Each structure stands twice: as C-alpha cells, then as structure tokens.
Amino acid sequence: MTTERRGAPARLLASLLSLLPARADLAAMGRTPGRDLVAGFTVAIVALPLALGFGISSGLGAQAGLATAVVAGALAAVFGGSRLQVTGPTGAMTVVLVPIAHAHGAPGVLTVGLLAGIALVGLAVVRAGRWMVYVPAPVVEGFTIGIACVIALQQVPSALGVPTPEGDRVTLVAAQAVADFLRSPDWPAVTVAVAVAAAMLLGARWRPSVPFSLLAVAAATVLAEAVSLDVARIGELPAGLPLPSLGFLDPAAVPSLLGPALAVAALAALESLLSAAVADGMSVDSRHDPDKELFGQGVANLAAPLFGGVPATGAIARTAVNVRAGASSRLAALVHAAVLAAVVLAAAPLVARIPLAALAGVLLATAVRMVEVGSVRAMVRSTRADGFVLVLTAVATLALDLVQAVVIGMVVAGALALRAVARDAGLARVPLHADTPGDHDEEERALLAEHIVAYRIDGPLFFAAAHRFLLELSEVADVSVVILRMSRVTTIDASGALVLKDAIERLEHRGITVLVSGIRDGHDRPLDALGVIDRLRADGRVFDTTPEAVRAARARLVRPSGPDRPVPPARTGGADSPAAADSPAA
C-alpha cells in the first residue's frame, strides 16, 4: 500500500473531525440562557402547528412531523453550522415527499431520509457547502413562489373537508377536491380553515410578535369541541416517541430510492443553507459554516427516520422567528425541540382533537406569507432576464419536482448570464494617431493609416462570443498589416483561443500580416497550449505595447532600399497572389 493510499483514511478522519462542534460553539450556550429559553419557547409555539401540518401533508401523519421536529431539531442544533438555525419538517420537503409516499409508502419515505442523510454527510466531507452561494436570487425567489403555490394546493382537500383524492400531481388533486366539494359542500371545514388563515394574516399585521397560529388553532379546536362541529380531526397520537428502529429498511428497495434520496439531499442542502444565510442577514454577528451545516443536517436526517420522522431541513420561517425573539446560541433551538417533546409526552390527547381544517388554514396562511411581494416585484422589474428566470423557476416548481426546477432555473440563468457577458465582448477599430510617435510627417501618417489597421479586442474572448469576433475580424480588407491589441481582453478560453488562431490564419491566407500587442499575464497559457501565437512570437510579431507594434508594421511596409514608399496593400486573396509577398516570412 502506497503512502498516498495510507494517508487517505487519515485525511477523511481529519475532515470528519473538523466538522464536529467546537468547544466554543457549546460554551456559547451558557452566555445568555434567559434570552435563549424565551426564544426557544416562542419558536416551539410557532412550530407546533407547522410540524403537525407538514407531517400530515407528507402522508406519514402528525406523529411523524412531531418526531422530526424533536429529533432532527435537536441534532441539527448541536451539529449544524449555524447557531440560530431551527430545523424541522418544511413545506418544500413535503412537496418532494408526497410522490415518494404515493409510490413507496411510509417505509420508502423513511429510507429516502436515511439515504439523504448519508448524502448530506458526504457533501459536508467534500466541502460542497461553498458552492451553494452561486444559486442566483431569481431562482431562489421563483423556487419560493412555486413552493408556496404547491403548499397551498396541498391544503385544498383538508380545507374543503373532502377526502384527499389519489394522485401525486397537486394541481390535479386540488382540482378533483374542488369538484368533490361542489358535489357535496362541507361548510364547517371551509369556515374553520378560512377563519384560521385570516386570523394569522391579519394578526401578523396587527401584532407581529403574537403567535396567532397557535392561538387560532387552539380557538378553532375549542370551538369545534364546544359546538360538536362535524370536521375531521388529527386523530389519536401515541404519548411519546417510538423506540429507534431500522425495521423500515428494505435493502432490495434501496436502488430504486437512490434518485429520490439525492433529490431530497439536494433540497435539504439548498433550503438549509438559504435559511442559514437568512439568519446571518437578520443578525449582527452571526456567520454560519456551510459545510458544518450540511453535516448537521446529515446527522439529523440519519437519525430522524429511526424514530419515524420525515426528512428535515433548516426552516426559514422558524429560524426567522428565532432570531426576532432574541436567540443568541444553539440553546434556543434545543429548547424548541424540548418543548415539542414535552407536548408529545404530555398533551397528545389534546393535540389529537385539532381539526385538520385548522391546520390547513395555518399552512395556507404560511404559503401566503412565504411570498415577499415587494422583493418579487423589484426583481421582475430589474431586468427581463431576472423576471424570466423567476417565472420559469416558479412554473417548473409547480409543474415538475423541486430539484428539477432549481436545475432548470440555474441552467437558464447561467445561459442568460453568459449571453450578457458575451455582449460585452467587442472588436473595435482604433485610430493609429495615438500610437504613432510625433516624428512622422502628415504624408507618412496618411500612408501608415492607409495600409495599417489596429483592432482592439475588449472583454472576454470565450466560446459564447468568439464566433462573432471571428466573423468581424475576417471581414478586414484593403490593408497590409493588422495589429491586434489584446490588453483589454479579460479572459480567454480554449474556444476563444482557437477562433483567434483561425482568424489569424484567414488573414494571413489573404496576404495580410498580423501583429499582436499587449497580451496580459495569464493569457499566454491557453494561447501557447493551442499554438495560437507561438509562430508569431518566433517571427517577432508579438509585442508588449502597441507603439512597438506600429513601428514594426512601418518597418515591414517600407522597402529595404530607396525612398520610403509603402508596399501596396493586399487586395486579393489566395496564397499565390502578389499580396502573399507580405507573408509571415517577410
């Protein structure tokens, strides 16, 4: 075994150890315990109805949502890379889990969560967290709008009081639910859902600090019990979490679940890092470690399925509540998990009586509040490209799955960005008077201008702009010498270098001498590797400055003896033409 192979396990172990919580992270939990306790309790009040609602929406039930909030919330708080992040079941993850639950049942969802946890730990080990910063803002905004629409559509059956129709396309399921409602209206359920959603939306405007979601759900539950409303309830919940078990795991089903697991891992990484970034922006001195955050989410998702929990991510809404409530350390997220655990142990019978329509109202209001209208309006107005990417990502999120939507949005955003950068690339003919010293008389300046042309290449010379550059440069005519000024070229890739080589060869084939000036440091490598200018350099046709190139061009134009008379310009093509006398060997 080579030394390199022996060192690989050691490097892997060192990478894993570096992702574990540092002593300073844990010590910070004792600095302001009072503020963290208040913040954690506040977040738990907000998280309770959301955990119940998202658990039911995922297809695994309210208990799964609570188990996720407790187990994943606690582990991600300890092992994550943000001291303010709150983890649990989210609407975005629910959207992905619904089709998995339809196709593979609860064991499939739990297996996907376990595999996603492994994938997240792997992403953390290879330090993939830093790449998430390259997701464009219009993609994130469109993704959020699409998720909000999907969450709202998922709540239509419960809000209308009809059984959830079969299917994994939320638009079709919602349409069928509306049709079922019209055949047999259930007004109590609609009333409860609308009242809870209205209380949340109006209450948030009136008193943003008051947890109207919990108050509205409690009021709806009390009212439903008092007047015996005929509405569906959550149903019986076990008083406690189940013992950890791998009984759900079927090795034979793992290959078919790898694709969904990677999609879940990608979504968990994206949403968690976005949420951590939001927390950083809302606080003064918080900066998350993206790789540690991926590791914490991986550990959380490895453990949650063992207790019957669904895959979890960092939750933007709950994290924002945590920051606003004054949290300063991981203790707040741990308190949030402990309070929810106490609810599971002590208040399961009360939770079981909550109407499903009330939770549907909570999630409908949550979907509405997810969309920042001002931010969306500003982004749509900023540029056509940003508006197009935002709308495309939102529609793709609604029509396809979330990971595909993000990929589509990023690809289109990248293509539009390349197009914009390519437009900055240009080829401009520049006058020689600024580059010819003052020791020439007017006649000689006119002769130089007649037979020498200088072109300045501006911006990037890469695949998206190179062919347009070749077309423009190849149309140069009626000159003897072309000077290519490259001091303003910002970058060169292989495609750009090859196109430049082709353009030079076409000009030389027509008998036009090509001189190059101002190649910047770092641009020699692609040009030399592809043989673009090595022949020019060997022939002394590459110069540091444009005045040097102009002097060399003049020397090539005047005859070696007799009066200074310029060589006639090249006007015909072909290697056998008279203009070929002014070839690279001249």
Side-chain angles (χ1 to χ4, degrees):
M1 182 180 292
T2 64
T3 303
E4 183 178 354
R5 289 182 178 178
R6 284 195 300 268
R11 288 196 299 271
L12 178 61
L13 179 60
S15 180
L16 280 171
L17 291 176
S18 68
L19 295 170
L20 294 176
R23 182 176 298 177
D25 296 330
L26 302 178
M29 292 192 294
R31 292 175 186 166
T32 56
R35 290 172 54 190
D36 288 330
L37 287 170
V38 172
F41 188 79
T42 304
V43 175
I45 292 174
V46 173
L48 177 58
L50 294 175
L52 295 170
F54 289 136
I56 293 171
S57 295
S58 71
L60 270 68
Q63 181 191 4
L66 285 173
T68 304
V70 173
V71 177
L75 290 174
V78 174
F79 292 96
S82 170
R83 58 186 173 85
L84 302 177
Q85 179 91 285
V86 178
T87 296
T90 64
M93 187 60 73
T94 300
V95 173
V96 175
L97 297 180
V98 169
I100 299 174
H102 276 287
H104 303 281
V109 173
L110 300 178
T111 302
V112 162
L114 189 70
L115 297 174
I118 296 172
L120 286 167
V121 171
L123 289 174
V125 170
V126 299
R127 307 294 175 178
R130 62 185 181 273
W131 297 108
M132 291 297 171
V133 300
Y134 295 108
V135 180
V139 174
V140 175
E141 207 67 53
F143 175 77
T144 304
I145 294 172
I147 289 172
C149 292
V150 173
I151 292 172
L153 290 172
Q154 284 179 340
Q155 308 316 310
V156 170
S158 295
L160 297 179
V162 299
T164 302
E166 291 294 327
D168 55 4
R169 293 291 180 186
V170 290
T171 50
L172 298 178
V173 170
Q176 183 60 48
V178 171
D180 293 343
F181 172 80
L182 294 176
R183 282 194 295 268
S184 178
D186 183 358
W187 295 111
V190 174
T191 303
V192 169
V194 171
V196 170
M200 284 185 61
L201 294 174
L202 296 176
R205 286 178 172 270
W206 178 50
R207 289 285 190 273
S209 60
V210 177
F212 281 98
S213 59
L214 186 64
L215 294 178
V217 168
T221 304
V222 171
L223 179 63
E225 289 295 307
V227 301
S228 300
L229 279 182
D230 185 18
V231 291
R233 313 299 176 101
I234 287 179
E236 184 178 354
L237 292 175
L241 296 177
L243 294 175
S245 170
L246 278 172
F248 61 85
L249 184 61
D250 180 7
V254 168
S256 64
L257 294 172
L258 286 176
L262 292 177
V264 167
L267 176 60
L270 176 65
E271 191 173 12
S272 298
L273 293 179
L274 287 176
S275 178
V278 168
D280 289 349
M282 294 178 65
S283 63
V284 177
D285 58 351
S286 174
R287 288 296 176 268
H288 75 282
D289 183 321
D291 297 314
K292 283 189 176 183
E293 184 60 30
L294 290 179
F295 180 75
Q297 296 297 329
V299 172
N301 281 287
L302 279 171
L306 305 182
F307 295 88
V310 297
T313 75
I316 295 177
R318 276 157 274 179
T319 299
V321 171
N322 193 38
V323 177
R324 291 195 195 103
S328 62
S329 77
R330 301 165 190 268
L331 180 61
L334 283 172
V335 170
H336 139 270
V339 171
L340 292 179
V343 170
V344 173
L345 293 172
L350 295 177
V351 172
R353 301 305 300 166
I354 295 175
L356 292 178
L359 294 181
V362 170
L363 298 185
L364 285 170
T366 301
V368 172
R369 293 171 63 181
M370 285 176 65
V371 181
E372 296 287 344
V373 177
S375 175
V376 172
R377 185 184 295 117
M379 203 165 293
V380 170
R381 290 177 176 175
S382 61
T383 66
R384 290 183 180 180
D386 287 342
F388 176 74
V389 170
L390 186 150
V391 173
L392 176 65
T393 306
V395 172
T397 302
L398 191 58
L400 306 172
D401 70 61
L402 275 67
V403 176
Q404 288 178 347
V406 171
V407 171
I408 291 172
M410 291 188 66
V411 169
V412 173
L416 292 174
L418 285 176
R419 179 186 173 197
V421 171
R423 285 179 174 176
D424 291 337
L427 183 72
R429 181 167 176 166
V430 292
L432 288 172
H433 62 76
D435 299 311
T436 53
D439 58 354
H440 301 294
D441 58 28
E442 291 300 323
E443 180 182 0
E444 187 172 8
R445 285 178 181 275
L447 291 173
L448 288 173
E450 181 181 352
H451 300 290
I452 305 173
V453 61
Y455 280 92
R456 185 183 67 232
I457 306 173
D458 295 314
L461 187 57
F462 71 137
F463 71 94
H467 292 287
R468 178 167 56 85
F469 164 79
L470 170 63
L471 182 63
E472 293 181 27
L473 187 57
S474 298
E475 291 176 351
V476 176
D478 296 339
V479 296
S480 297
V481 181
V482 169
I483 299 173
L484 296 180
R485 301 174 57 175
M486 300 184 63
S487 60
R488 295 192 183 182
V489 175
T490 55
T491 185
I492 301 177
D493 70 355
S495 297
L498 288 174
V499 167
L500 181 62
K501 179 181 180 181
D502 192 9
I504 292 173
E505 290 175 350
R506 289 192 185 195
L507 291 172
E508 291 179 337
H509 184 69
R510 293 165 49 200
I512 299 174
T513 300
V514 178
L515 308 181
V516 178
S517 70
I519 298 176
R520 297 170 65 174
D521 292 341
H523 293 173
D524 302 76
R525 183 175 179 180
L527 295 174
D528 290 340
L530 295 167
V532 178
I533 60 169
D534 49 356
R535 180 168 50 84
L536 301 184
R537 185 178 284 112
D539 194 34
R541 289 190 279 154
V542 178
F543 304 91
D544 292 333
T545 65
T546 302
E548 292 175 330
V550 173
R551 286 193 291 270
R554 178 179 177 277
R556 288 174 180 272
L557 286 176
V558 297
R559 298 182 185 279
S561 61
D564 284 359
R565 295 182 181 273
V567 176
R571 296 182 183 273
T572 58
D576 298 327
S577 66
D582 192 16
S583 66

